[in-house]
Amino acid sequence: MNLEFNKNEDVNKQLLYQVKNRLKKIYAGGGEKAAAKQKEKGKMLARERVDYLLDENTYWLEIGAFAAEDMYQEVGGCPSAGVVTGIGYVSGRQCVIVANDATVKAGAWFPMTAKKNLRAQEIAMENRLPVIYLVDSAGVFLPMQDEIFPDKEHFGRIFRNNAIMSSSGIVQISAIMGSCVAGGADLPIMSDEAMIVDRTGSVFLAGSYLVKSAIGEEIDNETLGGATTHSEISGVTDYKHPNDQACLDSIKKIMGMIGAPKQAGFNRIKPSKPQKDENEIYGILPLNREKPYDMLEIIHRLVDDSDFEEYKKLFGQSIICGLGRIDGWAVGIVANQRKVVKSKKGEMQFGGVIYSDSADKATRFIMNCNQKKIPLVFLQDVTGFMVGSRSEQGGIIKDGAKMVNAVANSVVPKFTIVIGNSYGAGNYAMCGKAYDPRLIFAWPSAKIAVMGGTQAAKVILQMKEASLKAKGEVITQEKEDELLKEITDRYNSQTTPYYAASHLWVDGIIDPLETRKIISTGIEAANQSPIEKVFNVGVIQT
């Protein structure tokens, strides 16, 4: 290996090390003191509950671990948005698990908590996966009630989804393992089955303090809404258990009796590993996000046997399209080519840019995959569509619109991995979050923004300078350099994968070597939801 390869490898592994270190802190939730308080009550911690529930030696795909990272610092932060969510296997059945973390502000719901719960429900609804809720929450974080309560994508949407899933035959099981107050009481009771842990679980519309304030009645929380009340008197809960372990064991038994799902019928054969060494991905990916490299070298380290059937290989070369297998599953891959290539007319095409011919090729390939019922995988390292008079006269807007149309109307499941840049309309055309990928993850090298930091900073600087000059202020070179650095630093801080994962623009930040397993897990989930819509792109100008 050459010196550049080794440098790339060192930096990319360092980026991954930083991700793992930040995750360790996130996994600690509200910290040792908060964890000790839960233990004193005889309760398991949220992640312990999830671990106990999951089948041994099976893959757990966490969703949104970085949610709310660096947010809500004025109230001490909200690690992982105060809730653990993901896809795992319980009694051999793939399902979605949602577990409130009571060590984080007593499991209170912040705005990002609601967004993360809705994302978990979205995954369950798209893939028709059973949902297990491990409820332990003090309800809405009142100081931020205006950001979580009334809107379409706020708290109430969760209960709406409970009802929709139940009517659709998607199994929902709730375990009340701690406090469950006010609006939060609706979630477990709107599930198909609800169980409660004696002495620690409680569920009521209003706690004892509010009851006394509202109607003058003096009553303790256990009598008001504890396990005995709801299992023996109200009949609100279906099962009563002495402790967390017994409750989780009961869930396992129920999950082991659920009937088999219908299959979508995606093609799978016996999996095999890539022939080319996957570990070499670290050295192939350049340190400089603007530097070209051959995306085919990445693809050959992701697909089974490193076998990839490239579609229209010599046409529209700034996008790579082709068929391969990942962990045995047949997939269609759409990837941005980052090396400089020659077009059919002998013109040089810059890496990471989508040209008219590339957009046209990708559109046709996406349509073919829908015709053949082959899931799509998008590998993003895109700086956007080509600009300039030649591109505009060549119809880049029309060709780009055709590609976006095909992505938007695809009925086969889509999976997106942000490898490097994800800028502007390129993010949309390559199936960004707005285009409903079943899963979307980022590598530590990812950057997501309207445009690159340097270009954006210069545009913003020009606007800032114009504003200052209009006020009669003189802009020295020193002042200009200071402004440029300030703008660039602020902009770049908002393009990191951490910022994207914190806002749930992506489902998480992953080790590149985990990519194959994540895509395979996603297709296995999608295979439990038969395709019912007919692929139709509507009106596309040709």
Side-chain angles (χ1 to χ4, degrees):
M1 299 299 176
N2 58 34
L3 181 61
E4 183 178 2
F5 182 98
N6 292 334
K7 285 182 178 179
N8 291 343
E9 185 177 45
D10 288 344
V11 172
N12 283 314
K13 287 187 174 180
Q14 181 61 32
L15 289 175
L16 181 59
Y17 176 77
Q18 292 169 10
V19 171
K20 291 180 177 179
N21 270 352
R22 291 180 74 155
L23 282 173
K24 283 181 184 177
K25 187 177 179 181
I26 287 169
Y27 293 160
E32 291 183 7
K33 288 185 178 179
K37 286 182 179 179
Q38 296 299 309
K39 292 289 188 179
E40 286 170 9
K41 297 175 183 177
K43 296 162 68 176
M44 299 169 72
L45 303 181
R47 292 185 180 278
E48 290 176 343
R49 289 167 175 167
V50 172
D51 288 343
Y52 186 88
L53 195 57
L54 294 169
D55 295 345
E56 288 186 14
N57 302 316
T58 58
Y59 184 66
W60 163 248
L61 175 55
E62 184 160 355
I63 303 293
F66 282 98
E69 178 77 345
D70 295 328
M71 291 185 180
Y72 314 124
Q73 294 304 311
E74 67 278 7
V75 293
C78 186
S80 210
V83 63
V84 180
T85 61
I87 303 171
Y89 299 85
V90 177
S91 299
R93 184 67 183 267
Q94 198 177 37
C95 60
V96 169
I97 300 175
V98 178
N100 297 112
D101 186 350
T103 70
V104 180
K105 298 291 184 294
W109 289 66
F110 284 72
M112 284 304 300
T113 314
K115 186 173 183 178
K116 184 171 174 179
N117 273 265
L118 287 170
R119 175 60 179 147
Q121 288 185 323
E122 179 183 41
I123 289 170
M125 292 166 79
E126 286 180 329
N127 300 293
R128 298 190 61 82
L129 297 179
V131 189
I132 298 170
Y133 302 103
L134 307 180
V135 187
D136 194 345
S137 171
V140 168
F141 186 67
L142 289 178
M144 294 182 178
Q145 64 87 25
D146 62 318
E147 298 178 49
I148 189 175
F149 170 63
D151 210 346
K152 182 179 178 181
E153 299 301 329
H154 283 177
F155 196 46
R157 188 76 171 184
I158 293 165
F159 315 133
R160 174 264 188 193
N161 287 348
N162 286 142
I164 296 295
M165 282 191 279
S166 184
S167 70
S168 302
I170 298 171
V171 174
Q172 297 172 90
I173 302 169
S174 284
I176 301 165
M177 311 184 82
S179 181
C180 187
V181 186
D186 292 333
L187 186 148
I189 308 310
M190 291 192 70
S191 298
D192 301 314
E193 291 180 291
M195 51 192 68
I196 189 167
V197 178
D198 194 20
R199 313 308 295 177
T200 56
S202 60
V203 55
F204 34 64
L205 293 179
S208 57
Y209 292 121
L210 184 54
V211 167
K212 184 176 181 180
S213 173
I215 64 173
E217 181 184 1
E218 291 197 20
I219 189 169
D220 63 87
N221 282 339
E222 182 63 26
T223 305
L224 181 66
T228 298
T229 295
H230 287 310
S231 297
E232 300 179 22
I233 301 172
S234 72
V236 165
T237 54
D238 305 308
Y239 306 90
K240 177 183 174 182
H241 298 290
N243 52 47
D244 283 7
Q245 287 89 343
C247 184
L248 297 170
D249 286 337
S250 179
I251 294 174
K252 290 180 182 182
K253 287 180 184 177
I254 294 170
M255 287 296 297
M257 297 181 184
I258 296 175
K262 292 181 181 179
Q263 300 287 301
F266 302 124
N267 186 277
R268 191 183 197 189
I269 62 173
K270 184 179 178 181
S272 58
K273 292 183 178 180
Q275 287 186 9
K276 294 191 174 182
D277 187 357
E278 295 174 73
N279 289 282
E280 291 176 353
I281 288 173
Y282 302 121
I284 294 168
L285 204 62
L287 319 180
N288 183 347
R289 294 300 334 118
E290 308 306 317
K291 194 164 184 179
Y293 64 94
D294 190 353
M295 180 63 82
L296 275 171
E297 293 299 324
I298 300 289
I299 293 172
H300 287 150
R301 286 161 178 81
L302 293 177
V303 295
D304 293 12
D305 291 322
S306 300
D307 184 18
F308 182 65
E309 185 72 21
E310 195 169 350
Y311 174 79
K312 291 185 182 288
K313 183 176 181 178
L314 302 177
F315 178 79
Q317 295 179 71
S318 72
I319 285 184
I320 298 169
C321 298
L323 300 173
R325 290 187 182 273
I326 291 179
D327 199 32
W329 295 103
V331 295
I333 295 176
V334 181
N336 303 110
Q337 175 58 287
R338 283 307 310 269
K339 72 176 184 179
V340 179
V341 296
K342 269 188 179 181
S343 74
K344 58 185 178 182
K345 299 176 182 177
E347 300 163 345
M348 301 309 293
Q349 294 189 347
F350 299 102
V353 179
I354 301 176
Y355 291 78
S356 282
D357 53 358
S358 301
D360 182 73
K361 176 174 83 171
T363 301
R364 172 64 65 175
F365 180 72
I366 291 166
M367 295 169 76
N368 282 347
C369 286
N370 275 272
Q371 179 82 349
K372 297 168 185 168
K373 204 162 73 171
I374 299 174
L376 286 160
V377 174
F378 292 83
L379 303 178
Q380 287 194 6
D381 195 346
V382 57
T383 52
F385 285 90
M386 190 59 188
V387 297
S389 59
R390 179 177 293 177
S391 292
E392 296 293 357
Q393 291 167 13
I396 185 66
I397 293 177
K398 178 185 67 176
D399 292 323
K402 288 193 292 185
M403 183 176 174
V404 169
N405 193 316
V407 172
N409 284 296
S410 285
V411 296
V412 294
K414 299 167 291 192
F415 303 90
T416 301
I417 306 296
V418 185
I419 288 176
N421 301 325
S422 179
Y423 294 158
N427 170 282
Y428 301 157
M430 292 294 295
C431 197
K433 185 66 181 291
Y435 288 79
D436 300 321
R438 296 290 177 100
L439 296 172
I440 176 169
F441 281 87
W443 287 3
S445 48
K447 286 188 177 295
I448 302 174
V450 171
M451 63 178 75
T454 304
Q455 299 95 317
K458 288 178 180 177
V459 173
I460 297 170
L461 178 63
Q462 290 172 11
M463 296 165 63
K464 183 81 171 176
E465 286 179 334
S467 175
L468 292 172
K469 286 177 182 177
K471 295 176 183 177
E473 295 186 33
V474 178
I475 310 298
T476 63
Q477 185 61 48
E478 184 180 358
K479 178 67 174 176
E480 184 177 308
D481 292 342
E482 182 184 325
L483 282 171
L484 184 62
K485 184 180 185 308
E486 177 189 324
I487 293 167
T488 302
D489 290 347
R490 185 175 69 250
Y491 190 90
N492 284 340
S493 71
Q494 297 174 353
T495 67
T496 68
Y498 297 105
Y499 194 87
S502 175
H503 290 77
L504 283 177
W505 300 344
V506 296
D507 292 318
I509 308 169
I510 59 166
D511 183 341
L513 301 189
E514 204 178 352
T515 303
R516 280 170 49 83
K517 190 61 181 174
I518 286 174
I519 292 170
S520 177
T521 298
I523 298 176
E524 182 181 347
N527 199 39
Q528 298 176 53
S529 180
I531 297 172
E532 296 176 352
K533 288 179 65 178
V534 176
F535 179 62
N536 188 335
V537 293
V539 178
I540 292 185
Q541 295 182 5
T542 56

